[in-house]
Amino acid sequence: MAYSAKVIDHYNNPRNVGSLDPKDDSVGTGLVGAPECGDVMKLQIKVNEETGVIEDAKFKTFGCGSAIASSSLATEMLKGKTIEEAAAIKNTAIVQELNLPPVKIHCSVLAEDAIKAAIEDFKKKQAAKRAKAQEALTNA
Amino acid sequence: MALDLSRPIYMDYNATTPMDSRVLEAMMPYFTEKFGNAASRNHVYGWEAEEAVEKAREQVAKAIGADAKEIIFTSGATESDNIALKGAVEMYAEKGNHIVTMLTEHKAVLDTCRRLERDGKATVTYLAPKQDGLVDLEKLEAAITDKTIMVAIMMANNEIGVIQPMEQIGEICRKHNVLFFTDAVQAVGKVPVDVNAMKIDVLSISGHKVYGPKGIGALYVRRKNPRVKLAPVIDGGGHERGMRSGTLNVPGIVGLGKALELCIEEMPNEMKRLTYLRNKLKDGILSQLEEVYVNGSMESRLPGNLNMSFAYVEGEGLLMGLKGLAVSSGSACTSASLEPSHVLKALGVGDELAHSSIRYGLGRFTTEEEVDYAIQITVEAVNRLREMSPLYEMAKAGIDLKSVQWTHH
């Protein structure tokens, strides 16, 4: 299958490959997909806890060129957005930007899932942090 | 000699082979001045076409130790496989309707068997191979019943190059009075084939896998001990002993004959050369990368074939990184099919490793420089993709990937 120029560019020069500390409360981690299905994406966001703005995003992906490109593009789209704005990102935006063919749409769906999972993880950690602070306050 | 990198280096000889220029040269007159119909008995045009066909029939027969009368020409091995299976089921209906085959067969055999089952014409036993891809002879023998008419086991596998123990299979078939059919597309012309020593009754050949043209194939049908008869799939003028009607593809037939003649001439040297190159490729990669697994037996294998799984990287993504190489992957990462190779699955290779597989097929025009280049870019691409792989990161951190709750989609 022929890949679009944008997919090839992201594959050859992936943006934001790497990892953030998953134990950091300001970091949300999303891990989606399965090795048996041929694609796994790990997408992480670092959020400013005051403003709710995503300051950094990193990914690692096991998958085809379109899966790598979808997650690479996702990290680019995430930076600078608030988590509310990020939650509104749709896979169709990725399909359009990368000119993904129909057989590769599932790659963009996976990227959207990864974004949602990372936001979810961040929110869960924040809630746990608040609960802990509350508990400390009550006990004091 | 410097490598020409203007196009990817061709290393997919198990998919198809380029035609040898000597084959093209032999074919050329039969497109133009010697255009006759081999069935025309009344003039020189027909005679010279028929003579060419009979010469090719001899060449093909010689390549497998058969008699020329036992060769019929077809459009290719898919057609040959169809005639072998459907023809036998129809011809031997009185004896039984059971076929024994393997899960690792080519789709031309598997899908034909499925159709025969669907149409209620046959029942089929699909044997799983041993982990190295070889048939379990005890299981094979145990699967044969008094209703079995044919055992269909390919000689060499198209994905993993594993060569089955033909003599032993043939022995078992004779003992139980069952026909032995083999799709020998990958083996003929590459390794020695002898239909008598191997007790083969029916055998498929393809032109384009042996440096001949596409659109031509052959079927060997034993004429004595036992005399095999196959009902035709295509009806018509009764060509090819009534088993395959249709005007003969004279240039294609000439090309197939010439191609096999060349293969047989060059086989001893070519087997040594390709074994050396294939082992160099394997060792070069294995010495520089960890967690790379060879799929299928290395002991009983085609000289030019190598199939490897690179843990933690996905095959299609890896192919993109190997753009300087024309190879293929056992992974199919499309919405139409998330299923990886049926052959690797049958070997018990886990889905994740099946998704990480690459098949390298070396052949007549492969050079040592090309192999060196293939080693280098494979190692580079795998390292780069592993740096990008969450699975590699997790494995390095000591996480057992099997213990992770994955989100299947």
Side-chain angles (χ1 to χ4, degrees):
Chain A
M1 175 184 354
Y3 289 95
S4 73
K6 280 177 180 164
V7 168
I8 293 169
D9 179 45
H10 275 278
Y11 177 87
N12 288 331
N13 311 292
R15 333 297 199 245
N16 310 308
V17 176
S19 297
L20 301 168
D21 180 5
K23 294 192 190 74
D24 186 335
D25 279 337
S26 67
V27 170
T29 301
L31 181 68
V32 296
E36 316 75 290
C37 303
D39 35 30
V40 175
M41 285 181 191
K42 189 190 77 168
L43 196 143
Q44 293 180 301
I45 50 174
K46 185 172 172 62
V47 185
N48 184 316
E49 292 174 79
E50 306 287 306
T51 61
V53 171
I54 296 169
E55 292 179 333
D56 200 4
K58 297 274 186 207
F59 85 94
K60 286 203 173 190
T61 289
F62 163 85
C64 66
S66 300
I68 290 170
S70 294
S71 36
S72 169
L73 175 65
T75 58
E76 271 193 326
M77 293 167 93
L78 286 169
K79 282 196 201 179
K81 283 199 168 64
T82 65
I83 51 173
E84 287 73 27
E85 289 165 345
I89 294 174
K90 286 272 167 289
N91 79 295
T92 45
I94 295 170
V95 173
Q96 255 176 10
E97 176 65 20
L98 295 176
N99 293 324
L100 293 181
V103 295
K104 294 297 182 185
I105 286 176
H106 70 281
C107 298
S108 68
V109 172
L110 202 61
E112 183 187 320
D113 289 349
I115 294 172
K116 296 215 152 68
I119 293 170
E120 194 64 28
D121 182 56
F122 169 74
K123 284 184 172 167
K124 232 198 259 170
K125 276 165 141 182
Q126 291 294 310
K129 191 178 166 187
R130 276 195 299 275
K132 221 172 167 186
Q134 194 65 42
E135 202 179 316
L137 217 61
T138 328
N139 289 345
Chain B
M1 199 180 71
L3 278 181
D4 173 13
L5 297 175
S6 61
R7 301 187 75 204
I9 288 167
Y10 191 73
M11 278 202 190
D12 206 7
Y13 279 82
N14 296 109
T16 193
T17 57
M19 211 160 72
D20 192 298
S21 58
R22 294 168 289 182
V23 172
L24 179 62
E25 205 179 312
M27 291 168 67
M28 286 304 272
Y30 296 93
F31 286 110
T32 51
E33 71 264 31
K34 298 183 178 179
F35 61 84
N37 186 330
S40 297
R41 294 291 158 84
N42 308 316
H43 48 67
V44 68
Y45 297 91
W47 300 333
E48 64 193 8
E50 191 192 11
E51 194 184 313
V53 166
E54 294 318 311
K55 183 185 169 196
R57 211 184 290 280
E58 293 279 350
Q59 289 166 319
V60 173
K62 207 175 158 199
I64 57 171
D67 187 276
K69 294 194 192 74
E70 300 176 304
I71 303 299
I72 71 168
F73 291 107
T74 67
S75 66
T78 294
E79 188 192 336
S80 296
D81 291 349
N82 270 265
I83 297 172
L85 291 160
K86 292 175 181 168
V89 164
E90 188 175 332
M91 191 58 81
Y92 295 92
E94 275 180 24
K95 189 199 169 205
N97 64 348
H98 180 234
I99 295 168
V100 180
T101 187
M102 290 182 73
L103 290 169
T104 45
E105 287 294 305
H106 191 273
K107 292 282 182 193
V109 167
L110 290 177
D111 285 4
T112 303
C113 285
R114 301 262 187 235
R115 176 176 296 280
L116 286 166
E117 284 181 294
R118 234 183 8 253
D119 293 350
K121 292 177 178 164
T123 58
V124 184
T125 300
Y126 301 89
L127 297 173
K130 296 188 285 187
Q131 215 175 2
D132 59 6
L134 291 168
V135 66
D136 182 328
L137 292 166
E138 281 176 23
K139 271 198 212 160
L140 168 64
E141 188 157 14
I144 295 173
T145 71
D146 56 353
K147 290 279 172 223
T148 307
I149 53 168
M150 180 174 262
V151 167
I153 294 183
M154 73 202 314
M155 181 162 170
N157 187 272
N158 51 306
E159 289 189 32
I160 54 176
V162 165
I163 300 173
Q164 299 293 346
M166 301 304 281
E167 273 116 359
Q168 285 101 311
I169 298 171
E171 194 63 51
I172 291 172
C173 291
R174 279 291 155 84
K175 185 173 142 195
H176 294 277
N177 198 23
V178 169
L179 295 179
F180 178 20
F181 158 55
T182 187
D183 176 330
V185 162
Q186 296 284 343
V188 170
K190 315 289 169 57
V191 291
V193 178
D194 185 319
V195 291
N196 291 318
M198 295 169 173
K199 300 185 173 62
I200 296 163
D201 299 313
V202 184
L203 174 149
S204 297
I205 295 176
S206 164
H208 73 102
K209 307 284 193 195
V210 293
Y211 310 94
K214 294 172 179 63
I216 188 72
L219 185 67
Y220 158 78
V221 186
R222 180 173 287 282
R223 264 167 70 95
K224 54 177 190 249
N225 308 318
R227 182 181 179 85
V228 179
K229 285 166 90 179
L230 301 173
V233 171
I234 294 176
D235 291 305
H239 310 74
E240 301 298 275
R241 293 163 56 205
M243 279 186 269
R244 205 285 187 173
S245 288
T247 297
L248 295 182
N249 168 4
V250 179
I253 290 168
V254 168
L256 174 60
K258 181 70 184 173
L260 283 174
E261 183 185 82
L262 293 172
C263 283
I264 300 305
E265 261 172 43
E266 297 178 2
M267 189 188 288
N269 286 332
E270 194 62 358
M271 281 179 71
K272 264 185 244 152
R273 193 182 75 88
L274 287 176
T275 302
Y276 165 76
L277 290 179
R278 192 271 317 277
N279 288 346
K280 182 171 188 185
L281 177 62
K282 170 177 72 77
D283 296 339
I285 291 170
L286 288 177
S287 65
Q288 295 178 69
L289 290 172
E290 53 178 358
E291 295 210 57
V292 179
Y293 307 96
V294 175
N295 297 312
S297 165
M298 278 308 296
E299 287 72 44
S300 185
R301 193 183 193 104
L302 290 174
N305 173 282
L306 183 63
N307 187 311
M308 290 177 138
S309 288
F310 299 87
Y312 317 121
V313 300
E314 192 274 331
E316 204 181 317
L318 180 53
L319 280 187
M320 207 172 155
L322 300 177
K323 58 184 181 302
L325 282 185
V327 290
S328 70
S329 169
S331 180
C333 165
T334 64
S335 63
S337 160
L338 282 170
E339 288 289 294
S341 148
H342 73 281
V343 173
L344 299 182
K345 280 184 83 156
L347 257 59
V349 172
D351 276 2
E352 65 276 24
L353 279 178
H355 273 298
S356 303
S357 72
I358 297 285
R359 176 184 72 181
Y360 300 85
L362 314 185
R364 185 173 290 167
F365 306 104
T366 305
T367 65
E368 188 154 7
E369 288 79 11
E370 291 177 341
V371 169
D372 290 336
Y373 176 76
I375 296 169
Q376 181 203 329
I377 68 167
T378 300
V379 170
E380 282 171 11
V382 171
N383 280 331
R384 189 175 94 88
L385 288 171
R386 281 184 175 172
E387 283 311 310
M388 234 190 270
S389 165
L391 304 180
Y392 187 64
E393 183 182 60
M394 291 163 84
K396 283 275 134 186
I399 297 168
D400 177 8
L401 295 178
K402 299 232 180 314
S403 71
V404 178
Q405 281 287 331
W406 301 105
T407 55
H408 292 258
H409 56 100

